[in-house]
Amino acid sequence: MNPPKILHIDATLVDKTIAHWNAGELVAMPTETVYGLGADATNGEAVAKIYSVKSRPQFNPLIVHVATIEIAQRYVEWTSIALGLAKAFWPGPMTLVLKRRANCPITELVSAGGDTIAIRIPAHPVAQQLLTAWGGAIAAPSANRSGRVSPTTAEHVRDEFGTAIPIIDGGACEVGLESTVIDATGDAPIVLRPGSITRAMVEKALGIPCASSAPTAGTQRSPGQLESHYAPSIPVRLNATSAEETEALLAFGPNVPTGAGTTLNLSPTGNMLEAAANLFAYLRALDNGYHSCIAVMPIPTEGIGEAINDRLKRAAA
Ligand code: TXA
Ligand code: MG
Protein backbone atom coordinates (compact mmCIF):
# COMPACT_ATOMS: atom_id res chain seq x y z
CA MET A 1 0.00 0.00 0.00
CA ASN A 2 1.66 3.19 -1.14
CA PRO A 3 0.46 6.44 0.32
CA PRO A 4 0.00 9.25 -1.28
CA LYS A 5 -2.24 7.22 -3.54
CA ILE A 6 -5.86 7.01 -2.54
CA LEU A 7 -6.87 3.37 -2.61
CA HIS A 8 -9.98 1.66 -3.87
CA ILE A 9 -11.26 -1.36 -2.03
CA ASP A 10 -10.75 -4.93 -3.28
CA ALA A 11 -9.82 -8.23 -1.65
CA THR A 12 -6.07 -7.57 -1.61
CA LEU A 13 -6.65 -4.18 -0.06
CA VAL A 14 -8.72 -5.72 2.73
CA ASP A 15 -5.82 -8.09 3.45
CA LYS A 16 -3.29 -5.26 3.31
CA THR A 17 -5.36 -3.12 5.67
CA ILE A 18 -5.62 -5.99 8.16
CA ALA A 19 -1.84 -6.46 7.89
CA HIS A 20 -1.28 -2.74 8.62
CA TRP A 21 -3.59 -2.86 11.63
CA ASN A 22 -1.88 -6.02 12.88
CA ALA A 23 1.45 -4.22 12.55
CA GLY A 24 0.17 -1.33 14.71
CA GLU A 25 -0.12 1.07 11.77
CA LEU A 26 -2.89 3.55 10.96
CA VAL A 27 -5.22 3.32 7.94
CA ALA A 28 -7.87 5.95 7.14
CA MET A 29 -11.22 4.46 6.19
CA PRO A 30 -14.59 5.75 5.05
CA THR A 31 -17.70 5.53 7.20
CA GLU A 32 -21.15 6.88 6.35
CA THR A 33 -20.59 9.85 8.69
CA VAL A 34 -17.01 11.04 8.15
CA TYR A 35 -13.66 9.40 7.38
CA GLY A 36 -11.97 7.79 10.38
CA LEU A 37 -8.31 7.35 11.29
CA GLY A 38 -8.27 3.68 12.25
CA ALA A 39 -5.95 1.62 14.46
CA ASP A 40 -6.15 -1.64 16.46
CA ALA A 41 -8.04 -0.55 19.58
CA THR A 42 -6.24 -3.12 21.74
CA ASN A 43 -2.75 -1.83 20.80
CA GLY A 44 -1.71 1.06 23.08
CA GLU A 45 1.13 2.28 20.88
CA ALA A 46 -1.04 2.16 17.76
CA VAL A 47 -3.68 4.25 19.53
CA ALA A 48 -0.98 6.64 20.76
CA LYS A 49 -0.05 7.17 17.10
CA ILE A 50 -3.60 8.40 16.44
CA TYR A 51 -3.22 11.17 19.03
CA SER A 52 0.25 11.94 17.76
CA VAL A 53 -0.77 12.21 14.08
CA LYS A 54 -3.85 14.30 14.92
CA SER A 55 -1.66 16.59 17.07
CA ARG A 56 -4.29 16.48 19.79
CA PRO A 57 -3.01 18.48 22.74
CA GLN A 58 -5.21 16.38 25.04
CA PHE A 59 -6.24 12.75 25.34
CA ASN A 60 -9.94 12.81 24.43
CA PRO A 61 -11.60 9.40 24.37
CA LEU A 62 -11.95 7.81 20.91
CA ILE A 63 -14.79 5.95 19.21
CA VAL A 64 -14.37 2.20 18.68
CA HIS A 65 -15.81 0.58 15.55
CA VAL A 66 -16.96 -3.05 15.28
CA ALA A 67 -18.85 -5.19 12.76
CA THR A 68 -21.56 -6.73 14.96
CA ILE A 69 -23.42 -6.40 18.27
CA GLU A 70 -21.89 -9.71 19.40
CA ILE A 71 -18.41 -8.25 18.96
CA ALA A 72 -19.42 -5.04 20.80
CA GLN A 73 -20.65 -7.15 23.71
CA ARG A 74 -17.15 -8.58 24.17
CA TYR A 75 -15.90 -5.15 25.19
CA VAL A 76 -18.73 -3.31 26.98
CA GLU A 77 -21.41 -4.01 29.58
CA TRP A 78 -24.70 -4.21 27.74
CA THR A 79 -27.85 -2.42 28.96
CA SER A 80 -31.48 -2.64 27.90
CA ILE A 81 -31.43 0.83 26.37
CA ALA A 82 -28.27 -0.10 24.47
CA LEU A 83 -30.11 -3.09 23.04
CA GLY A 84 -33.12 -0.98 22.04
CA LEU A 85 -30.96 1.67 20.39
CA ALA A 86 -28.69 -0.85 18.67
CA LYS A 87 -31.70 -2.64 17.21
CA ALA A 88 -33.18 0.63 15.98
CA PHE A 89 -30.11 2.39 14.60
CA TRP A 90 -27.20 -0.02 13.95
CA PRO A 91 -25.50 -0.26 11.58
CA GLY A 92 -25.66 3.52 11.36
CA PRO A 93 -24.55 6.96 12.55
CA MET A 94 -24.97 6.35 16.29
CA THR A 95 -22.34 5.79 18.98
CA LEU A 96 -23.17 4.28 22.38
CA VAL A 97 -21.13 5.05 25.48
CA LEU A 98 -21.11 1.99 27.75
CA LYS A 99 -19.07 0.69 30.68
CA ARG A 100 -15.91 -1.26 29.90
CA ARG A 101 -16.21 -4.93 30.76
CA ALA A 102 -13.84 -6.36 33.35
CA ASN A 103 -10.59 -7.39 31.59
CA CYS A 104 -11.63 -5.52 28.44
CA PRO A 105 -8.62 -5.80 26.09
CA ILE A 106 -9.15 -2.33 24.57
CA THR A 107 -6.31 -0.03 25.65
CA GLU A 108 -7.15 2.44 28.43
CA LEU A 109 -5.87 5.17 26.13
CA VAL A 110 -9.04 4.74 24.01
CA SER A 111 -11.09 5.62 27.11
CA ALA A 112 -8.61 8.39 28.05
CA GLY A 113 -8.37 6.63 31.40
CA GLY A 114 -12.14 6.57 32.01
CA ASP A 115 -14.25 3.49 32.63
CA THR A 116 -16.42 3.74 29.50
CA ILE A 117 -16.02 3.06 25.79
CA ALA A 118 -17.84 4.79 22.95
CA ILE A 119 -18.69 2.14 20.35
CA ARG A 120 -20.52 1.96 17.04
CA ILE A 121 -21.28 -0.22 14.02
CA PRO A 122 -20.86 1.89 10.88
CA ALA A 123 -23.15 1.26 7.90
CA HIS A 124 -20.71 2.11 5.10
CA PRO A 125 -20.11 -1.06 3.03
CA VAL A 126 -16.34 -0.53 2.93
CA ALA A 127 -16.16 -0.07 6.70
CA GLN A 128 -18.35 -3.15 7.11
CA GLN A 129 -16.07 -5.19 4.88
CA LEU A 130 -12.91 -4.12 6.73
CA LEU A 131 -14.39 -4.57 10.21
CA THR A 132 -15.84 -7.98 9.35
CA ALA A 133 -12.45 -9.14 8.10
CA TRP A 134 -10.77 -7.66 11.21
CA GLY A 135 -13.23 -9.32 13.58
CA GLY A 136 -12.37 -7.04 16.53
CA ALA A 137 -12.28 -3.37 17.51
CA ILE A 138 -10.86 -0.46 15.51
CA ALA A 139 -10.39 2.88 17.27
CA ALA A 140 -11.09 5.68 14.80
CA PRO A 141 -11.61 9.35 15.48
CA SER A 142 -12.46 11.64 12.58
CA ALA A 143 -9.46 11.74 10.23
CA ASN A 144 -8.56 15.40 10.68
CA ARG A 145 -5.90 17.28 12.56
CA SER A 146 -6.99 18.62 15.93
CA GLY A 147 -9.21 21.69 15.63
CA ARG A 148 -10.05 21.20 11.96
CA VAL A 149 -13.29 20.03 10.36
CA SER A 150 -14.01 16.36 9.82
CA PRO A 151 -13.20 14.99 6.33
CA THR A 152 -15.99 13.61 4.16
CA THR A 153 -13.92 12.55 1.13
CA ALA A 154 -10.64 10.68 0.70
CA GLU A 155 -9.14 13.85 -0.79
CA HIS A 156 -9.96 15.77 2.40
CA VAL A 157 -8.05 13.18 4.41
CA ARG A 158 -5.08 13.51 2.07
CA ASP A 159 -5.23 17.29 2.54
CA GLU A 160 -4.98 16.72 6.30
CA PHE A 161 -2.17 14.17 6.47
CA GLY A 162 -0.50 14.25 3.06
CA THR A 163 1.46 11.12 2.36
CA ALA A 164 1.78 9.93 5.93
CA ILE A 165 -1.16 7.50 6.09
CA PRO A 166 -2.81 5.09 3.63
CA ILE A 167 -6.34 6.20 2.81
CA ILE A 168 -9.07 3.90 1.52
CA ASP A 169 -11.48 5.63 -0.80
CA GLY A 170 -15.16 4.97 -0.21
CA GLY A 171 -16.50 8.02 -2.02
CA ALA A 172 -18.19 10.99 -0.39
CA CYS A 173 -19.73 10.24 3.02
CA GLU A 174 -23.50 10.00 2.83
CA VAL A 175 -24.27 11.55 6.22
CA GLY A 176 -21.35 13.98 6.34
CA LEU A 177 -21.89 14.76 10.02
CA GLU A 178 -20.29 12.91 12.95
CA SER A 179 -22.39 10.24 14.68
CA THR A 180 -24.82 10.99 17.48
CA VAL A 181 -23.07 10.04 20.75
CA ILE A 182 -25.42 8.63 23.42
CA ASP A 183 -24.61 7.68 26.99
CA ALA A 184 -26.45 4.35 27.33
CA THR A 185 -25.04 3.30 30.70
CA GLY A 186 -28.12 4.25 32.74
CA ASP A 187 -31.90 3.86 32.70
CA ALA A 188 -32.43 6.79 30.34
CA PRO A 189 -30.35 7.78 27.30
CA ILE A 190 -28.31 11.00 27.37
CA VAL A 191 -27.36 12.62 24.08
CA LEU A 192 -23.74 13.75 24.54
CA ARG A 193 -23.16 14.88 20.96
CA PRO A 194 -26.04 15.69 18.62
CA GLY A 195 -26.02 14.13 15.15
CA SER A 196 -28.35 12.91 12.42
CA ILE A 197 -30.06 10.49 14.82
CA THR A 198 -32.02 13.06 16.77
CA ARG A 199 -33.20 13.12 20.36
CA ALA A 200 -36.79 12.70 19.07
CA MET A 201 -35.77 9.59 17.10
CA VAL A 202 -34.07 8.15 20.19
CA GLU A 203 -37.13 8.81 22.37
CA LYS A 204 -39.47 7.30 19.79
CA ALA A 205 -37.35 4.15 19.41
CA LEU A 206 -37.18 3.56 23.18
CA GLY A 207 -40.54 4.97 24.22
CA ILE A 208 -38.89 6.93 27.07
CA PRO A 209 -37.58 10.49 27.33
CA CYS A 210 -33.89 11.32 27.16
CA ALA A 211 -32.29 12.47 30.39
CA SER A 212 -30.42 15.75 30.22
CA SER A 213 -27.07 16.01 31.88
CA ALA A 214 -25.56 18.76 29.79
CA PRO A 215 -24.60 21.82 31.86
CA THR A 216 -26.91 23.87 29.64
CA ALA A 217 -29.68 22.04 27.86
CA GLY A 218 -28.93 21.56 24.19
CA THR A 219 -25.22 22.31 24.38
CA GLN A 220 -22.69 19.68 23.55
CA ARG A 221 -20.51 18.50 26.39
CA SER A 222 -17.13 19.35 24.95
CA PRO A 223 -14.60 16.52 25.23
CA GLY A 224 -12.48 18.46 27.71
CA GLN A 225 -15.44 18.57 30.08
CA LEU A 226 -15.94 14.83 30.18
CA GLU A 227 -15.95 13.64 33.76
CA SER A 228 -14.90 10.17 32.69
CA HIS A 229 -11.20 10.97 33.01
CA TYR A 230 -9.34 9.00 35.61
CA ALA A 231 -8.19 11.07 38.59
CA PRO A 232 -5.69 9.57 41.08
CA SER A 233 -6.83 9.58 44.71
CA ILE A 234 -3.41 10.70 46.02
CA PRO A 235 -1.39 13.84 45.22
CA VAL A 236 0.69 13.95 42.05
CA ARG A 237 4.07 15.72 42.20
CA LEU A 238 5.45 16.80 38.82
CA ASN A 239 9.05 17.22 37.59
CA ALA A 240 10.39 14.92 40.30
CA THR A 241 14.14 14.30 40.17
CA SER A 242 14.14 12.13 43.29
CA ALA A 243 11.59 10.13 45.24
CA GLU A 244 11.15 8.88 48.79
CA GLU A 245 10.24 5.47 50.06
CA THR A 246 6.68 6.52 50.85
CA GLU A 247 6.21 7.71 47.28
CA ALA A 248 5.45 5.93 44.01
CA LEU A 249 7.60 7.02 41.08
CA LEU A 250 6.26 7.34 37.55
CA ALA A 251 9.55 7.30 35.69
CA PHE A 252 10.54 8.12 32.12
CA GLY A 253 13.74 7.32 30.26
CA PRO A 254 16.94 5.50 31.18
CA ASN A 255 18.16 7.58 34.17
CA VAL A 256 15.80 6.79 37.02
CA PRO A 257 16.44 7.93 40.62
CA THR A 258 16.34 5.16 43.22
CA GLY A 259 14.57 5.27 46.58
CA ALA A 260 10.88 5.26 45.62
CA GLY A 261 8.54 2.72 47.24
CA THR A 262 7.44 1.52 43.81
CA THR A 263 8.65 2.58 40.38
CA LEU A 264 6.97 2.11 37.01
CA ASN A 265 8.77 3.39 33.93
CA LEU A 266 6.56 4.80 31.14
CA SER A 267 9.35 4.10 28.65
CA PRO A 268 12.87 3.10 29.70
CA THR A 269 14.12 4.01 26.20
CA GLY A 270 12.37 7.40 26.19
CA ASN A 271 9.87 6.41 23.46
CA MET A 272 6.97 8.88 23.63
CA LEU A 273 4.40 6.57 21.96
CA GLU A 274 5.21 3.85 24.47
CA ALA A 275 4.90 6.39 27.31
CA ALA A 276 1.46 7.50 26.10
CA ALA A 277 0.33 3.90 25.75
CA ASN A 278 1.30 3.16 29.38
CA LEU A 279 0.20 6.43 31.01
CA PHE A 280 -3.31 5.66 32.29
CA ALA A 281 -2.63 2.04 33.26
CA TYR A 282 0.49 3.05 35.24
CA LEU A 283 -1.21 5.96 37.03
CA ARG A 284 -3.93 3.56 38.10
CA ALA A 285 -1.44 0.89 39.18
CA LEU A 286 0.54 3.35 41.33
CA ASP A 287 -2.64 4.72 42.94
CA ASN A 288 -2.97 1.50 44.95
CA GLY A 289 -3.32 2.72 48.53
CA TYR A 290 0.31 2.08 49.53
CA HIS A 291 1.84 5.44 48.69
CA SER A 292 1.52 9.03 49.90
CA CYS A 293 2.01 10.54 46.47
CA ILE A 294 2.86 9.80 42.85
CA ALA A 295 6.10 11.53 41.89
CA VAL A 296 6.41 12.01 38.14
CA MET A 297 9.71 12.53 36.34
CA PRO A 298 9.91 15.33 33.73
CA ILE A 299 8.52 14.28 30.36
CA PRO A 300 9.38 16.13 27.14
CA THR A 301 6.62 18.42 25.88
CA GLU A 302 7.08 17.95 22.13
CA GLY A 303 4.57 16.06 19.98
CA ILE A 304 2.38 13.69 21.97
CA GLY A 305 4.30 14.86 25.07
CA GLU A 306 1.96 17.85 25.11
CA ALA A 307 -1.05 15.58 25.69
CA ILE A 308 0.86 13.51 28.28
CA ASN A 309 1.84 16.65 30.21
CA ASP A 310 -1.68 18.08 29.92
CA ARG A 311 -3.07 14.93 31.54
CA LEU A 312 -0.42 14.92 34.27
CA LYS A 313 -0.98 18.60 35.05
CA ARG A 314 -4.68 17.95 35.48
CA ALA A 315 -3.91 14.95 37.69
CA ALA A 316 -1.68 17.19 39.82
CA ALA A 317 -4.12 20.13 40.02
O1 TXA B 1 -19.06 9.70 13.13
C1 TXA B 1 -18.20 9.55 13.99
O2 TXA B 1 -18.47 9.37 15.17
C2 TXA B 1 -16.74 9.57 13.50
C3 TXA B 1 -16.52 8.34 12.62
C4 TXA B 1 -15.08 8.20 12.18
O3 TXA B 1 -16.97 7.19 13.28
N1 TXA B 1 -15.84 9.58 14.61
C5 TXA B 1 -15.67 10.67 15.42
O4 TXA B 1 -14.70 10.49 16.39
O5 TXA B 1 -16.27 11.71 15.28
P1 TXA B 1 -14.04 11.69 17.23
O6 TXA B 1 -12.92 11.06 18.03
O7 TXA B 1 -13.66 12.79 16.34
O8 TXA B 1 -15.15 12.12 18.23
C6 TXA B 1 -15.44 11.30 19.32
C7 TXA B 1 -16.46 11.95 20.21
C8 TXA B 1 -15.84 13.04 21.04
O9 TXA B 1 -16.73 14.11 21.19
C9 TXA B 1 -15.61 12.32 22.36
O10 TXA B 1 -15.57 13.19 23.43
C10 TXA B 1 -16.79 11.37 22.39
O11 TXA B 1 -17.00 10.97 21.08
N2 TXA B 1 -16.45 10.17 23.17
C11 TXA B 1 -15.58 9.19 22.83
N3 TXA B 1 -15.47 8.28 23.82
C12 TXA B 1 -16.28 8.70 24.80
C13 TXA B 1 -16.62 8.18 26.09
N4 TXA B 1 -16.06 7.05 26.55
N5 TXA B 1 -17.49 8.88 26.83
C14 TXA B 1 -18.05 10.01 26.36
N6 TXA B 1 -17.79 10.54 25.15
C15 TXA B 1 -16.91 9.90 24.39
MG1 MG C 1 -13.46 14.67 15.57
Side-chain angles (χ1 to χ4, degrees), residues 54 56 141-142 144 148 150 178 193:
K54 281 182 68 90
R56 269 193 177 174
S142 52
N144 52 278
R148 293 170 51 100
S150 298
E178 298 90 343
R193 178 176 73 179

mmCIF file of all heavy atoms in Angstrom, residues 54 56 141-142 144 148 150 178 193, ligand 2:
data_model
loop_
_atom_site.group_PDB
_atom_site.id
_atom_site.type_symbol
_atom_site.label_atom_id
_atom_site.label_comp_id
_atom_site.label_asym_id
_atom_site.label_seq_id
_atom_site.Cartn_x
_atom_site.Cartn_y
_atom_site.Cartn_z
ATOM 1 N N LYS A 54 -2.833 13.259 14.878
ATOM 2 C CA LYS A 54 -3.852 14.305 14.916
ATOM 3 C C LYS A 54 -3.349 15.569 15.606
ATOM 4 O O LYS A 54 -4.022 16.592 15.580
ATOM 5 C CB LYS A 54 -5.108 13.808 15.654
ATOM 6 C CG LYS A 54 -5.999 12.921 14.802
ATOM 7 C CD LYS A 54 -7.253 12.491 15.547
ATOM 8 C CE LYS A 54 -8.246 13.598 15.850
ATOM 9 N NZ LYS A 54 -9.258 13.832 14.815
ATOM 10 N N ARG A 56 -3.348 16.108 18.728
ATOM 11 C CA ARG A 56 -4.285 16.484 19.785
ATOM 12 C C ARG A 56 -3.506 16.874 21.019
ATOM 13 O O ARG A 56 -2.704 16.090 21.514
ATOM 14 C CB ARG A 56 -5.201 15.295 20.142
ATOM 15 C CG ARG A 56 -6.463 15.266 19.339
ATOM 16 C CD ARG A 56 -7.474 14.279 19.917
ATOM 17 N NE ARG A 56 -8.706 14.343 19.134
ATOM 18 C CZ ARG A 56 -9.733 13.533 19.297
ATOM 19 N NH1 ARG A 56 -9.699 12.601 20.223
ATOM 20 N NH2 ARG A 56 -10.810 13.654 18.566
ATOM 21 N N PRO A 141 -11.016 8.017 15.417
ATOM 22 C CA PRO A 141 -11.608 9.347 15.481
ATOM 23 C C PRO A 141 -11.721 9.890 14.060
ATOM 24 O O PRO A 141 -11.201 9.278 13.117
ATOM 25 C CB PRO A 141 -10.574 10.146 16.263
ATOM 26 C CG PRO A 141 -9.276 9.513 15.879
ATOM 27 C CD PRO A 141 -9.569 8.040 15.639
ATOM 28 N N SER A 142 -12.393 11.013 13.902
ATOM 29 C CA SER A 142 -12.460 11.639 12.583
ATOM 30 C C SER A 142 -11.033 11.915 12.100
ATOM 31 O O SER A 142 -10.161 12.294 12.881
ATOM 32 C CB SER A 142 -13.275 12.922 12.663
ATOM 33 O OG SER A 142 -12.794 13.770 13.689
ATOM 34 N N ASN A 144 -9.012 14.022 10.865
ATOM 35 C CA ASN A 144 -8.562 15.396 10.676
ATOM 36 C C ASN A 144 -7.576 15.756 11.771
ATOM 37 O O ASN A 144 -7.567 15.134 12.836
ATOM 38 C CB ASN A 144 -9.756 16.360 10.746
ATOM 39 C CG ASN A 144 -10.577 16.158 11.998
ATOM 40 O OD1 ASN A 144 -11.426 15.271 12.061
ATOM 41 N ND2 ASN A 144 -10.291 16.941 13.033
ATOM 42 N N ARG A 148 -9.595 20.981 13.334
ATOM 43 C CA ARG A 148 -10.048 21.200 11.960
ATOM 44 C C ARG A 148 -11.311 20.389 11.696
ATOM 45 O O ARG A 148 -11.666 19.524 12.478
ATOM 46 C CB ARG A 148 -8.940 20.835 10.974
ATOM 47 C CG ARG A 148 -7.768 21.808 11.101
ATOM 48 C CD ARG A 148 -6.567 21.350 10.322
ATOM 49 N NE ARG A 148 -6.886 21.022 8.939
ATOM 50 C CZ ARG A 148 -6.665 21.833 7.902
ATOM 51 N NH1 ARG A 148 -6.146 23.027 8.103
ATOM 52 N NH2 ARG A 148 -6.969 21.447 6.686
ATOM 53 N N SER A 150 -14.089 17.776 10.153
ATOM 54 C CA SER A 150 -14.015 16.356 9.818
ATOM 55 C C SER A 150 -14.057 16.165 8.302
ATOM 56 O O SER A 150 -14.805 16.844 7.612
ATOM 57 C CB SER A 150 -15.188 15.620 10.465
ATOM 58 O OG SER A 150 -15.111 15.733 11.864
ATOM 59 N N GLU A 178 -20.727 13.944 12.018
ATOM 60 C CA GLU A 178 -20.293 12.913 12.954
ATOM 61 C C GLU A 178 -21.500 12.253 13.633
ATOM 62 O O GLU A 178 -22.547 12.875 13.783
ATOM 63 C CB GLU A 178 -19.376 13.490 14.035
ATOM 64 C CG GLU A 178 -18.083 14.074 13.519
ATOM 65 C CD GLU A 178 -18.202 15.550 13.167
ATOM 66 O OE1 GLU A 178 -19.344 16.045 13.007
ATOM 67 O OE2 GLU A 178 -17.156 16.196 13.045
ATOM 68 N N ARG A 193 -23.512 14.109 22.156
ATOM 69 C CA ARG A 193 -23.163 14.885 20.961
ATOM 70 C C ARG A 193 -24.290 14.713 19.954
ATOM 71 O O ARG A 193 -24.583 13.599 19.550
ATOM 72 C CB ARG A 193 -21.846 14.388 20.344
ATOM 73 C CG ARG A 193 -21.464 15.153 19.062
ATOM 74 C CD ARG A 193 -20.108 14.744 18.499
ATOM 75 N NE ARG A 193 -20.136 13.431 17.872
ATOM 76 C CZ ARG A 193 -19.078 12.853 17.287
ATOM 77 N NH1 ARG A 193 -17.908 13.477 17.276
ATOM 78 N NH2 ARG A 193 -19.179 11.665 16.743
HETATM 79 MG MG MG B 2 -13.462 14.670 15.565
#
